[in-house]
Amino acid sequence: MVRKTQLSNGIRIVTEKMPGVHSVSTGIWVNLGSRDEEPHEQGITHFIEHMLFKGTAQRSALDIAKALDAVGGFANAFTSKENLCVHAKVLDTHLDLVVDVLMDIFLHSLFAEEEIEKERQVVVQEINMIEDSPEDLVHILFQQHFWKDHPLGAPIYGTPESVLALNRSKIMDFLGRRLAPQAVLVAAAGNVDHEAFVDLVAPHVAFLNHTRQPPRRQPPQTFPHYTLLPKDLEQVHICLGFPGCSHGDPQRFACHVVNVVLGNSMSSRLFQEVREKRALAYSIYSFVNSHEDTGLMGVYAAVAPEDVTETLDVITAEMDAVRRDAITASELSAAREYLKGSMYLNAESTDARMNRLAKNEFVFGRHVPLEEVEEAIDAVTVEDVRAWFAQHYQPENTAVMLLGPVESGAHGMAAA
């Protein structure tokens, strides 16, 4: 059962009781992410996420770690383009403890200057680590070019320069401008009683009663491009993409069906053609990145320099075939079952249920039952898929990025 309470200050509390489990996953969510940063603030939301575990007036960083370790709990946090979340999972008997700890770090973190100084270096090392991971790097760089001059295209982690420029004053100013109670949501899934959970949470957040609203998000423009980025690597990392579906797009299920058929499963067209039949790549897949008001659908592959042109030709041929001829009835049926199976298997996790509660509330303002999603998936037709793909995948709105020893493949690519 899913229940929701909205406090007088606008903070929402959403729970889902899951019979038969003995744990509770709890998350404090803020509808605030890297896309809400100004250019000089890049990486600040992610940096705040790091600092939440560095000590409060009541607890040191070690005290926070010990409090959860002592009850076998797990705590973490993440930052996305649109959300910040600090979360934990414990046995239901320790829910009061985890709420107290999470609320303490969320509301009373000190952001001490000496901790900020140390964490700046840690985050810079995290950024450098991504530089050494070409698969991650090509996705980040692709989005920077695809959503050029828009904060949605900026890397979540920021840049070494922007991170090193952060200080306590900038952090507190950012939180003061951006952290509105209406953007805060507390979610819990597992063996949890809604009323008891509200009684635990409400006293902690009662003092948050300011009424200011952060600026509304602006959707980005997309910039088709063909970009070669030379880098001393063994492989060329290919990222190709075009406009996709947003979180709330009425046609999003057609988008996800075609993603499964195209490259998001082992039986997909691209996996079979590029890897199994031609042995051009070990890693080849399609993907969908959805946001509040826009989205991106794309394909990634890592291949030898001499195989770039052939690989791109195969990818393009498969996408042209979907746009021209649509998918088959058997492919549609298999993709539907894949999506439904993945959804229901994922729903057995309290963490996944907690995440789903928050995201549905932010996107739709309500709980969306799994059965409703299943019906929407089953309603997708072959023509829905063809029409969606033909509308979104067009040569003039498609971008391509190659990262690696691209000089050796550049002439062949130009011919392609």
Side-chain angles (χ1 to χ4, degrees):
M1 178 191 298
V2 174
R3 296 186 60 188
K4 170 184 170 182
T5 295
Q6 183 161 340
L7 303 180
S8 58
N9 57 7
I11 291 176
R12 289 164 284 181
I13 302 173
V14 186
T15 66
E16 182 172 12
K17 187 171 182 64
M18 298 172 61
V21 301
H22 298 283
S23 63
V24 182
S25 292
T26 304
I28 304 174
W29 292 71
V30 188
N31 195 16
L32 174 71
S34 61
R35 73 172 296 177
D36 301 304
E37 300 165 353
E38 300 293 337
H40 66 279
E41 298 171 329
Q42 285 185 11
I44 194 170
T45 312
H46 173 254
F47 193 84
I48 289 168
E49 172 215 316
H50 276 239
M51 291 302 302
L52 290 178
F53 290 89
K54 298 303 177 182
T56 71
Q58 296 183 49
R59 296 177 172 93
S60 67
L62 181 59
D63 291 335
I64 294 168
K66 283 184 173 180
L68 293 164
D69 288 347
V71 296
F74 170 81
N76 209 337
F78 65 84
T79 306
S80 69
K81 301 276 186 178
E82 296 179 325
N83 298 129
L84 168 66
C85 176
V86 55
H87 58 98
K89 181 173 183 175
V90 294
L91 290 176
D92 50 21
T93 52
H94 301 300
L95 182 58
D96 55 345
L97 169 67
V98 80
V99 169
D100 188 62
V101 172
L102 290 184
M103 286 294 171
D104 190 26
I105 66 179
F106 179 69
L107 298 170
H108 306 297
S109 284
L110 294 175
F111 299 104
E113 288 284 7
E114 61 271 21
E115 293 295 338
I116 290 173
E117 175 64 29
K118 289 190 290 186
E119 205 60 25
R120 280 197 294 251
Q121 304 305 318
V122 172
V123 175
V124 168
Q125 290 305 311
E126 186 177 6
I127 295 171
N128 291 339
M129 183 174 66
I130 295 168
E131 287 284 337
D132 289 336
S133 176
E135 180 175 349
D136 294 333
L137 182 60
V138 75
H139 282 278
I140 291 170
L141 295 174
F142 180 88
Q143 291 184 46
Q144 282 185 280
H145 285 70
F146 191 69
W147 287 314
K148 183 173 59 175
D149 301 325
H150 189 279
L152 197 58
I156 293 170
Y157 310 93
T159 66
E161 294 75 21
S162 66
V163 170
L164 291 173
L166 294 177
N167 56 39
R168 191 176 193 278
S169 176
K170 290 182 178 180
I171 290 171
M172 302 312 292
D173 175 68
F174 178 79
L175 289 173
R177 288 185 289 107
R178 293 289 188 173
L179 185 57
Q182 293 83 356
V184 177
L185 183 148
V186 185
N191 190 20
V192 57
D193 176 80
H194 181 77
E195 298 298 340
F197 187 71
V198 171
D199 289 342
L200 285 175
V201 171
H204 288 281
V205 297
F207 74 95
L208 294 175
N209 53 19
H210 55 276
T211 58
R212 62 180 173 271
Q213 291 287 339
R216 290 180 62 86
R217 290 167 174 164
Q218 298 300 318
Q221 282 185 281
T222 59
F223 291 86
H225 61 86
Y226 174 72
T227 305
L228 304 178
L229 295 177
K231 192 173 178 66
D232 186 16
L233 300 169
E234 291 295 319
Q235 293 180 299
V236 174
H237 295 260
I238 301 169
C239 196
L240 177 153
F242 49 91
C245 58
S246 67
H247 283 308
D249 187 339
Q251 298 300 316
R252 64 191 179 278
F253 299 106
C255 170
H256 289 290
V257 164
V258 75
N259 183 46
V260 173
V261 173
L262 186 63
N264 196 37
S265 64
M266 291 181 65
S267 61
S268 67
R269 294 187 179 193
L270 289 177
F271 190 92
Q272 289 298 312
E273 191 66 32
V274 174
R275 176 169 163 166
E276 298 300 287
K277 294 182 181 178
R278 300 177 185 244
L280 293 172
Y282 171 78
S283 184
I284 169 76
Y285 56 83
S286 63
F287 60 90
V288 175
N289 291 340
S290 295
H291 303 290
E292 178 183 286
D293 48 13
T294 190
L296 163 66
M297 184 172 184
V299 175
Y300 165 84
V303 301
E306 62 271 19
D307 293 329
V308 168
T309 300
E310 183 182 357
T311 302
L312 276 165
D313 285 346
V314 173
I315 292 170
T316 302
E318 291 297 336
M319 295 198 300
D320 285 342
V322 172
R323 181 177 59 176
R324 181 183 62 250
D325 304 323
I327 63 174
T328 66
S330 62
E331 286 177 320
L332 173 63
S333 177
R336 285 171 174 168
E337 294 306 313
Y338 180 94
L339 289 171
K340 291 185 293 184
S342 298
M343 177 181 70
Y344 279 112
L345 289 173
N346 200 38
E348 295 184 356
S349 158
T350 58
D351 283 342
R353 289 284 186 119
M354 184 271 293
N355 276 265
R356 193 170 183 277
L357 287 175
K359 291 177 180 178
N360 279 333
E361 182 63 31
F362 282 144
V363 175
F364 303 106
R366 68 179 181 92
H367 171 60
V368 181
L370 296 173
E371 295 79 9
E372 181 179 330
V373 177
E374 181 178 3
E375 289 178 7
I377 293 171
D378 282 337
V380 174
T381 67
V382 167
E383 178 54 29
D384 291 336
V385 172
R386 190 208 63 76
W388 185 91
F389 199 70
Q391 178 185 355
H392 289 79
Y393 169 59
Q394 300 166 11
E396 61 269 22
N397 68 8
T398 301
V400 178
M401 176 172 284
L402 307 181
L403 174 71
V406 291
E407 293 87 353
S408 60
H411 295 297
M413 270 303 304

